[in-house]
Amino acid sequence: MEKKLLPLFIGFAGFYFVVHAAYKLPDIVHGASLFSSTIQRMHPVIYSITDIILGFTFVIGPYLILNRFYTNKKIFTAIILIIASVSISFFVNYVARKNDGGFPLRLRIFFTDNLFFFCVYIVYGLVFYFVRFSYYRELQQKELLLENRQSELSFLRSQVNPHFLFNSLSNIYALVHEGSPGALPAIAGLSDLLRYMLYEKSEKVPLQKELEYILRYIDLQRL
């Protein structure tokens, strides 16, 4: 299944602001800004962008693991690797944020303060993957159905063409034997029909073209 990392990141950025806006809704109602940071040395917008990138590690890890292993039915391996990926993402976020307030942040406090957001990020990555996987499976089923239809059509052609060909050749043989002036037009008409039947692979053709070859077929039968 094709990876969609750019839509994944863009969607996560929008999802990030929706989640944080909902979380800060009471403060925003009272006039606070969505782009706010308690860190004096960092601009709020830069802080938010950095936080999005760090939070994205919780999304991209599970997404890539599922894309690699779940598609191949290696579910247990995918679960183990997702747990490892989430643990690594957590410690990466902790190391990047532990001195944001100007003093070391205890691991337990960091965990309790951010657990909700980290869980929501992970759920976003999982949902994004399974929506994509469902769409991918639907496309596979449609392609398989189309291949089956093409195979059935080819099989029907392989049955019809020899029967039609032998009958037409028998008729043309009789015309030649009788010295009929219609023998040469019959051979030309049969040649055109066979070319159309064997080499026209499109499912859709112009109606005028189809009618033209139906009339040629009728002419052959009339002979």
Side-chain angles (χ1 to χ4, degrees):
M1 186 174 67
E2 184 182 359
K3 302 180 182 69
K4 295 289 185 179
L5 298 183
L6 183 58
L8 177 66
F9 180 77
I10 294 175
F12 173 72
F15 179 75
Y16 171 92
F17 286 115
V18 169
V19 170
H20 282 262
Y23 187 79
K24 296 181 179 180
L25 186 60
D27 296 332
I28 295 175
V29 170
H30 290 88
S33 172
L34 176 61
F35 299 98
S36 60
S37 171
T38 57
I39 306 171
Q40 301 299 325
R41 58 185 174 82
M42 184 178 294
H43 192 276
V45 175
I46 297 176
Y47 177 86
S48 296
I49 293 173
T50 304
D51 201 41
I52 289 173
I53 295 173
L54 290 172
F56 188 64
T57 60
F58 286 95
V59 176
I60 191 171
Y63 176 78
L64 292 178
I65 291 168
L66 287 174
N67 194 79
R68 173 65 177 83
F69 293 99
Y70 185 83
T71 309
N72 298 326
K73 306 300 182 182
K74 298 179 180 178
I75 300 176
F76 181 75
T77 302
I79 293 174
I80 297 299
L81 291 177
I82 287 174
I83 294 173
S85 171
V86 169
S87 301
I88 293 172
S89 297
F90 173 78
F91 283 105
V92 167
N93 278 261
Y94 173 69
V95 171
R97 293 300 190 204
K98 68 177 182 178
N99 292 318
D100 278 350
F103 54 88
L105 178 64
R106 297 186 62 179
L107 181 62
R108 181 177 61 81
I109 297 176
F110 178 79
F111 177 80
T112 54
D113 287 347
N114 294 278
L115 178 61
F116 168 77
F117 294 110
F118 293 160
C119 290
V120 170
Y121 299 161
I122 295 168
V123 169
Y124 169 84
L126 297 177
V127 170
F128 187 93
Y129 170 79
F130 283 109
V131 169
R132 287 276 308 149
F133 182 73
S134 176
Y135 177 71
Y136 169 74
R137 290 296 297 271
E138 183 179 351
L139 286 181
Q140 275 191 323
Q141 292 176 356
K142 289 182 179 179
E143 290 176 0
L144 182 60
L145 180 61
L146 182 59
E147 289 177 2
N148 290 337
R149 288 179 58 191
Q150 293 289 351
S151 299
E152 292 174 1
L153 182 59
S154 298
F155 178 70
L156 290 174
R157 280 177 173 172
S158 69
Q159 288 184 313
V160 172
N161 290 345
H163 180 72
F164 167 75
L165 178 60
F166 293 146
N167 284 348
S168 298
L169 287 175
S170 297
N171 292 334
I172 292 172
Y173 174 82
L175 293 174
V176 173
H177 180 71
E178 296 174 358
S180 172
L184 291 180
I187 293 173
L190 177 61
S191 174
D192 288 340
L193 274 175
L194 288 177
R195 186 179 299 109
Y196 179 67
M197 293 169 66
L198 295 174
Y199 297 110
E200 181 60 62
K201 302 298 184 182
S202 301
E203 285 193 358
K204 296 182 180 180
V205 296
L207 181 59
Q208 183 63 36
K209 186 176 183 181
E210 186 76 0
L211 288 174
E212 177 185 346
Y213 281 97
I214 288 174
L215 291 175
R216 291 189 183 186
Y217 174 78
I218 293 174
D219 290 339
L220 279 177
Q221 296 303 313
R222 283 174 175 171
L223 291 174

Short mmCIF file of all heavy atoms in Angstrom, two decimals, residues 141-174:
data_model
loop_
_atom_site.label_atom_id
_atom_site.label_comp_id
_atom_site.label_asym_id
_atom_site.label_seq_id
_atom_site.Cartn_x
_atom_site.Cartn_y
_atom_site.Cartn_z
N GLN A 141 -10.27 -5.12 -4.43
CA GLN A 141 -11.43 -5.93 -4.79
C GLN A 141 -12.01 -5.50 -6.13
O GLN A 141 -12.42 -6.35 -6.94
CB GLN A 141 -12.50 -5.82 -3.70
CG GLN A 141 -12.09 -6.49 -2.38
CD GLN A 141 -13.12 -6.29 -1.29
OE1 GLN A 141 -14.11 -5.59 -1.48
NE2 GLN A 141 -12.88 -6.89 -0.14
N LYS A 142 -12.04 -4.19 -6.40
CA LYS A 142 -12.54 -3.72 -7.68
C LYS A 142 -11.62 -4.17 -8.82
O LYS A 142 -12.10 -4.56 -9.89
CB LYS A 142 -12.66 -2.20 -7.66
CG LYS A 142 -13.80 -1.69 -6.80
CD LYS A 142 -13.90 -0.17 -6.87
CE LYS A 142 -15.07 0.34 -6.02
NZ LYS A 142 -15.17 1.82 -6.07
N GLU A 143 -10.29 -4.09 -8.59
CA GLU A 143 -9.35 -4.53 -9.61
C GLU A 143 -9.47 -6.03 -9.86
O GLU A 143 -9.41 -6.48 -11.01
CB GLU A 143 -7.92 -4.18 -9.20
CG GLU A 143 -7.63 -2.68 -9.22
CD GLU A 143 -6.25 -2.36 -8.70
OE1 GLU A 143 -5.52 -3.31 -8.32
OE2 GLU A 143 -5.88 -1.17 -8.70
N LEU A 144 -9.66 -6.80 -8.78
CA LEU A 144 -9.83 -8.24 -8.94
C LEU A 144 -11.11 -8.57 -9.71
O LEU A 144 -11.12 -9.46 -10.57
CB LEU A 144 -9.86 -8.91 -7.56
CG LEU A 144 -10.00 -10.44 -7.54
CD1 LEU A 144 -8.82 -11.09 -8.26
CD2 LEU A 144 -10.08 -10.95 -6.11
N LEU A 145 -12.18 -7.84 -9.41
CA LEU A 145 -13.44 -8.05 -10.12
C LEU A 145 -13.28 -7.72 -11.60
O LEU A 145 -13.78 -8.45 -12.47
CB LEU A 145 -14.53 -7.18 -9.49
CG LEU A 145 -15.92 -7.27 -10.12
CD1 LEU A 145 -16.47 -8.68 -10.01
CD2 LEU A 145 -16.87 -6.28 -9.46
N LEU A 146 -12.54 -6.64 -11.88
CA LEU A 146 -12.31 -6.26 -13.27
C LEU A 146 -11.47 -7.31 -14.00
O LEU A 146 -11.75 -7.65 -15.15
CB LEU A 146 -11.62 -4.90 -13.32
CG LEU A 146 -11.34 -4.32 -14.72
CD1 LEU A 146 -12.64 -4.16 -15.49
CD2 LEU A 146 -10.60 -3.00 -14.62
N GLU A 147 -10.45 -7.85 -13.31
CA GLU A 147 -9.62 -8.90 -13.91
C GLU A 147 -10.46 -10.14 -14.19
O GLU A 147 -10.29 -10.80 -15.23
CB GLU A 147 -8.45 -9.23 -13.00
CG GLU A 147 -7.39 -8.15 -12.92
CD GLU A 147 -6.29 -8.49 -11.95
OE1 GLU A 147 -6.34 -9.59 -11.35
OE2 GLU A 147 -5.37 -7.67 -11.77
N ASN A 148 -11.35 -10.49 -13.27
CA ASN A 148 -12.21 -11.66 -13.48
C ASN A 148 -13.14 -11.44 -14.68
O ASN A 148 -13.35 -12.37 -15.47
CB ASN A 148 -13.04 -11.94 -12.23
CG ASN A 148 -12.20 -12.45 -11.08
OD1 ASN A 148 -11.12 -12.99 -11.29
ND2 ASN A 148 -12.69 -12.29 -9.86
N ARG A 149 -13.66 -10.24 -14.81
CA ARG A 149 -14.53 -9.94 -15.95
C ARG A 149 -13.75 -10.03 -17.25
O ARG A 149 -14.27 -10.56 -18.26
CB ARG A 149 -15.13 -8.55 -15.79
CG ARG A 149 -16.20 -8.44 -14.70
CD ARG A 149 -16.73 -7.03 -14.60
NE ARG A 149 -17.29 -6.59 -15.86
CZ ARG A 149 -17.64 -5.33 -16.11
NH1 ARG A 149 -17.46 -4.39 -15.19
NH2 ARG A 149 -18.15 -5.00 -17.27
N GLN A 150 -12.50 -9.53 -17.23
CA GLN A 150 -11.68 -9.61 -18.44
C GLN A 150 -11.37 -11.06 -18.79
O GLN A 150 -11.36 -11.43 -19.97
CB GLN A 150 -10.37 -8.81 -18.24
CG GLN A 150 -10.56 -7.31 -18.12
CD GLN A 150 -10.96 -6.67 -19.44
OE1 GLN A 150 -10.94 -7.31 -20.49
NE2 GLN A 150 -11.35 -5.41 -19.39
N SER A 151 -11.10 -11.87 -17.77
CA SER A 151 -10.82 -13.29 -18.02
C SER A 151 -12.04 -14.00 -18.59
O SER A 151 -11.93 -14.81 -19.52
CB SER A 151 -10.39 -13.97 -16.71
OG SER A 151 -9.21 -13.40 -16.20
N GLU A 152 -13.22 -13.71 -18.03
CA GLU A 152 -14.45 -14.31 -18.54
C GLU A 152 -14.71 -13.89 -19.99
O GLU A 152 -15.12 -14.70 -20.83
CB GLU A 152 -15.63 -13.91 -17.66
CG GLU A 152 -15.59 -14.51 -16.26
CD GLU A 152 -16.70 -13.97 -15.37
OE1 GLU A 152 -17.50 -13.14 -15.88
OE2 GLU A 152 -16.77 -14.38 -14.21
N LEU A 153 -14.45 -12.61 -20.27
CA LEU A 153 -14.64 -12.11 -21.63
C LEU A 153 -13.69 -12.79 -22.60
O LEU A 153 -14.07 -13.18 -23.71
CB LEU A 153 -14.45 -10.59 -21.65
CG LEU A 153 -14.67 -9.89 -22.99
CD1 LEU A 153 -16.09 -10.13 -23.49
CD2 LEU A 153 -14.39 -8.39 -22.86
N SER A 154 -12.42 -12.95 -22.19
CA SER A 154 -11.44 -13.62 -23.04
C SER A 154 -11.83 -15.07 -23.28
O SER A 154 -11.67 -15.60 -24.39
CB SER A 154 -10.05 -13.55 -22.40
OG SER A 154 -9.63 -12.21 -22.25
N PHE A 155 -12.35 -15.73 -22.22
CA PHE A 155 -12.78 -17.12 -22.37
C PHE A 155 -13.94 -17.24 -23.35
O PHE A 155 -13.98 -18.15 -24.20
CB PHE A 155 -13.18 -17.67 -21.00
CG PHE A 155 -13.69 -19.08 -21.03
CD1 PHE A 155 -12.84 -20.14 -21.30
CD2 PHE A 155 -15.04 -19.34 -20.82
CE1 PHE A 155 -13.32 -21.45 -21.34
CE2 PHE A 155 -15.52 -20.64 -20.86
CZ PHE A 155 -14.66 -21.69 -21.12
N LEU A 156 -14.91 -16.31 -23.24
CA LEU A 156 -16.04 -16.34 -24.17
C LEU A 156 -15.59 -16.09 -25.60
O LEU A 156 -16.08 -16.72 -26.54
CB LEU A 156 -17.07 -15.28 -23.75
CG LEU A 156 -17.85 -15.57 -22.46
CD1 LEU A 156 -18.73 -14.39 -22.09
CD2 LEU A 156 -18.69 -16.82 -22.62
N ARG A 157 -14.62 -15.17 -25.76
CA ARG A 157 -14.10 -14.92 -27.10
C ARG A 157 -13.44 -16.16 -27.68
O ARG A 157 -13.58 -16.47 -28.86
CB ARG A 157 -13.09 -13.77 -27.05
CG ARG A 157 -13.73 -12.39 -27.01
CD ARG A 157 -12.67 -11.31 -26.89
NE ARG A 157 -13.24 -9.98 -27.02
CZ ARG A 157 -12.58 -8.85 -26.81
NH1 ARG A 157 -11.30 -8.92 -26.45
NH2 ARG A 157 -13.16 -7.69 -26.96
N SER A 158 -12.68 -16.86 -26.82
CA SER A 158 -11.98 -18.06 -27.29
C SER A 158 -12.96 -19.14 -27.71
O SER A 158 -12.64 -20.00 -28.55
CB SER A 158 -11.05 -18.60 -26.21
OG SER A 158 -11.80 -19.12 -25.12
N GLN A 159 -14.18 -19.13 -27.14
CA GLN A 159 -15.20 -20.11 -27.53
C GLN A 159 -15.96 -19.67 -28.77
O GLN A 159 -16.24 -20.47 -29.65
CB GLN A 159 -16.19 -20.31 -26.38
CG GLN A 159 -15.62 -21.09 -25.20
CD GLN A 159 -16.67 -21.33 -24.15
OE1 GLN A 159 -17.40 -20.42 -23.78
NE2 GLN A 159 -16.74 -22.54 -23.64
N VAL A 160 -16.29 -18.39 -28.84
CA VAL A 160 -17.12 -17.91 -29.93
C VAL A 160 -16.34 -17.81 -31.24
O VAL A 160 -16.82 -18.20 -32.30
CB VAL A 160 -17.72 -16.53 -29.56
CG1 VAL A 160 -18.44 -15.93 -30.76
CG2 VAL A 160 -18.68 -16.68 -28.39
N ASN A 161 -15.11 -17.31 -31.17
CA ASN A 161 -14.35 -17.04 -32.40
C ASN A 161 -14.15 -18.27 -33.28
O ASN A 161 -14.40 -18.20 -34.49
CB ASN A 161 -13.00 -16.41 -32.06
CG ASN A 161 -13.17 -14.99 -31.54
OD1 ASN A 161 -14.24 -14.41 -31.70
ND2 ASN A 161 -12.13 -14.44 -30.93
N PRO A 162 -13.71 -19.42 -32.76
CA PRO A 162 -13.54 -20.58 -33.65
C PRO A 162 -14.86 -21.03 -34.28
O PRO A 162 -14.89 -21.38 -35.47
CB PRO A 162 -12.98 -21.66 -32.71
CG PRO A 162 -12.34 -20.90 -31.61
CD PRO A 162 -13.19 -19.70 -31.41
N HIS A 163 -15.94 -21.03 -33.52
CA HIS A 163 -17.24 -21.45 -34.04
C HIS A 163 -17.66 -20.52 -35.19
O HIS A 163 -18.09 -20.98 -36.26
CB HIS A 163 -18.27 -21.42 -32.92
CG HIS A 163 -19.64 -21.84 -33.35
ND1 HIS A 163 -19.96 -23.15 -33.65
CD2 HIS A 163 -20.79 -21.12 -33.55
CE1 HIS A 163 -21.23 -23.22 -34.01
NE2 HIS A 163 -21.75 -22.00 -33.96
N PHE A 164 -17.54 -19.22 -34.95
CA PHE A 164 -17.90 -18.25 -35.99
C PHE A 164 -16.98 -18.39 -37.20
O PHE A 164 -17.43 -18.34 -38.36
CB PHE A 164 -17.81 -16.84 -35.39
CG PHE A 164 -17.84 -15.74 -36.41
CD1 PHE A 164 -19.03 -15.39 -37.03
CD2 PHE A 164 -16.69 -15.06 -36.74
CE1 PHE A 164 -19.07 -14.38 -37.98
CE2 PHE A 164 -16.72 -14.04 -37.69
CZ PHE A 164 -17.92 -13.71 -38.30
N LEU A 165 -15.68 -18.58 -36.95
CA LEU A 165 -14.71 -18.67 -38.04
C LEU A 165 -14.97 -19.89 -38.92
O LEU A 165 -14.97 -19.79 -40.15
CB LEU A 165 -13.30 -18.72 -37.45
CG LEU A 165 -12.15 -18.86 -38.45
CD1 LEU A 165 -12.14 -17.67 -39.42
CD2 LEU A 165 -10.81 -18.95 -37.71
N PHE A 166 -15.21 -21.05 -38.31
CA PHE A 166 -15.41 -22.27 -39.09
C PHE A 166 -16.69 -22.18 -39.93
O PHE A 166 -16.72 -22.61 -41.09
CB PHE A 166 -15.48 -23.49 -38.16
CG PHE A 166 -14.18 -23.78 -37.48
CD1 PHE A 166 -14.14 -24.30 -36.19
CD2 PHE A 166 -12.96 -23.54 -38.12
CE1 PHE A 166 -12.94 -24.57 -35.56
CE2 PHE A 166 -11.76 -23.81 -37.49
CZ PHE A 166 -11.75 -24.32 -36.20
N ASN A 167 -17.74 -21.62 -39.35
CA ASN A 167 -18.98 -21.46 -40.11
C ASN A 167 -18.78 -20.52 -41.31
O ASN A 167 -19.25 -20.79 -42.42
CB ASN A 167 -20.09 -20.93 -39.22
CG ASN A 167 -20.66 -22.00 -38.31
OD1 ASN A 167 -20.39 -23.18 -38.49
ND2 ASN A 167 -21.44 -21.58 -37.33
N SER A 168 -18.09 -19.42 -41.05
CA SER A 168 -17.88 -18.44 -42.13
C SER A 168 -17.00 -19.03 -43.22
O SER A 168 -17.25 -18.81 -44.42
CB SER A 168 -17.25 -17.17 -41.56
OG SER A 168 -18.10 -16.57 -40.61
N LEU A 169 -15.95 -19.75 -42.83
CA LEU A 169 -15.07 -20.37 -43.84
C LEU A 169 -15.83 -21.40 -44.67
O LEU A 169 -15.60 -21.52 -45.89
CB LEU A 169 -13.86 -21.02 -43.17
CG LEU A 169 -12.81 -20.06 -42.61
CD1 LEU A 169 -11.72 -20.83 -41.86
CD2 LEU A 169 -12.18 -19.22 -43.72
N SER A 170 -16.72 -22.14 -44.03
CA SER A 170 -17.53 -23.11 -44.77
C SER A 170 -18.41 -22.40 -45.80
O SER A 170 -18.54 -22.86 -46.95
CB SER A 170 -18.39 -23.92 -43.81
OG SER A 170 -17.57 -24.69 -42.93
N ASN A 171 -19.00 -21.29 -45.39
CA ASN A 171 -19.85 -20.54 -46.31
C ASN A 171 -19.03 -19.98 -47.47
O ASN A 171 -19.45 -20.03 -48.63
CB ASN A 171 -20.55 -19.40 -45.57
CG ASN A 171 -21.57 -19.91 -44.57
OD1 ASN A 171 -22.10 -21.00 -44.72
ND2 ASN A 171 -21.82 -19.10 -43.54
N ILE A 172 -17.86 -19.41 -47.15
CA ILE A 172 -17.01 -18.83 -48.20
C ILE A 172 -16.52 -19.94 -49.14
O ILE A 172 -16.43 -19.76 -50.37
CB ILE A 172 -15.84 -18.07 -47.57
CG1 ILE A 172 -16.36 -16.81 -46.85
CG2 ILE A 172 -14.81 -17.67 -48.62
CD1 ILE A 172 -15.32 -16.08 -46.05
N TYR A 173 -16.21 -21.11 -48.59
CA TYR A 173 -15.79 -22.24 -49.43
C TYR A 173 -16.88 -22.60 -50.43
O TYR A 173 -16.60 -22.84 -51.63
CB TYR A 173 -15.47 -23.44 -48.54
CG TYR A 173 -15.15 -24.70 -49.32
CD1 TYR A 173 -13.88 -24.92 -49.84
CD2 TYR A 173 -16.13 -25.67 -49.53
CE1 TYR A 173 -13.59 -26.07 -50.57
CE2 TYR A 173 -15.86 -26.82 -50.25
CZ TYR A 173 -14.59 -27.02 -50.76
OH TYR A 173 -14.31 -28.17 -51.48
N ALA A 174 -18.12 -22.60 -49.96
CA ALA A 174 -19.24 -22.91 -50.86
C ALA A 174 -19.36 -21.84 -51.94
O ALA A 174 -19.63 -22.16 -53.12
CB ALA A 174 -20.53 -23.01 -50.07
#
